[in-house]
Amino acid sequence: MPNKTILSIVTFLVVLLLLSIFFNEKNMVFNQVYMNQFYKDILSDQKIEKFDDYFTKDCTIQINGKNFTADQFKQRMKWLKENTGMIRVQVINFFASKDDTQITDTHISHVIDKQGIERKVFVLQQSKIENNKIKQLIDASYVMEGDKDTTI
């Protein structure tokens, strides 16, 4: 009998968790599903034509203290496409403000460059949102494994 009770409690908790996830993600423009697609388009696939779908025209991007305009970052995406064989992003944590004006995430970028050198990069990313697009992105990266060259 105690097994049925435990099973019922666990089932109830799982349903409650799934409902809370569904309603939280449904009400947020920026959720983890959205960010996974963002990282796929911008980092993994380097789809420069998708840049304006995610960023404002006057956005500012800072990576490890280096500032980029929209055009400069598009050039970086082009450079990444030419110099990496694979980038896969694994989102670890994701947080969005209730009004969708700020997002923060931690993720790990698994990178293999064209020479076959592998890197695992831990990233803390924070963004300010305006009109459902990223206006300011700040990225602090640390190479956890592999070549410590942070150009990639």
Side-chain angles (χ1 to χ4, degrees):
M1 195 65 137
N3 289 339
K4 282 186 173 183
T5 304
I6 292 172
L7 183 60
S8 295
I9 292 171
V10 169
T11 303
F12 173 77
L13 291 174
V14 168
V15 168
L16 192 61
L17 176 65
L18 291 173
L19 285 172
S20 72
I21 290 170
F22 172 77
F23 284 110
N24 283 339
E25 288 193 358
K26 187 172 181 155
N27 293 329
M28 292 171 38
V29 172
F30 294 92
N31 56 41
Q32 192 159 345
V33 173
Y34 178 93
M35 291 308 292
N36 284 332
Q37 188 62 48
F38 163 78
Y39 286 126
K40 181 178 182 336
D41 289 342
I42 299 301
L43 283 179
S44 298
D45 298 341
Q46 296 100 26
K47 293 181 178 177
I48 296 169
E49 69 276 8
K50 291 279 197 173
F51 183 87
D52 293 331
D53 293 349
Y54 295 103
F55 291 92
T56 63
K57 292 191 185 317
D58 63 341
C59 69
T60 57
I61 299 168
Q62 184 182 90
I63 301 174
N64 290 339
K66 183 175 181 181
N67 295 313
F68 296 88
T69 63
D71 288 337
Q72 290 169 329
F73 193 77
K74 288 176 189 178
Q75 288 302 314
R76 178 178 167 75
M77 289 174 65
K78 183 179 176 187
W79 183 88
L80 281 171
K81 190 171 206 140
E82 294 167 354
N83 289 280
T84 58
M86 187 275 304
I87 299 176
R88 182 177 54 84
V89 178
Q90 174 188 1
V91 177
I92 306 297
N93 290 306
F94 173 83
F95 306 96
S97 61
K98 288 185 180 188
D99 61 359
D100 280 334
T101 60
Q102 294 188 53
I103 54 175
T104 301
D105 81 61
T106 54
H107 63 270
I108 297 174
S109 293
H110 302 268
V111 182
I112 301 174
D113 68 19
K114 292 283 186 182
Q115 289 74 41
I117 298 171
E118 296 183 36
R119 292 172 185 82
K120 188 187 283 188
V121 183
F122 177 81
V123 182
L124 173 61
Q125 183 270 127
Q126 184 170 7
S127 295
K128 291 186 179 177
I129 309 302
E130 184 177 279
N131 298 321
N132 295 328
K133 292 187 178 187
I134 298 170
K135 170 115 176 126
Q136 179 187 42
L137 182 140
I138 300 172
D139 175 309
S141 304
Y142 171 75
V143 179
M144 297 168 46
E145 293 178 17
D147 188 336
K148 300 297 181 190
D149 178 5
T150 56
T151 343
I152 292 183

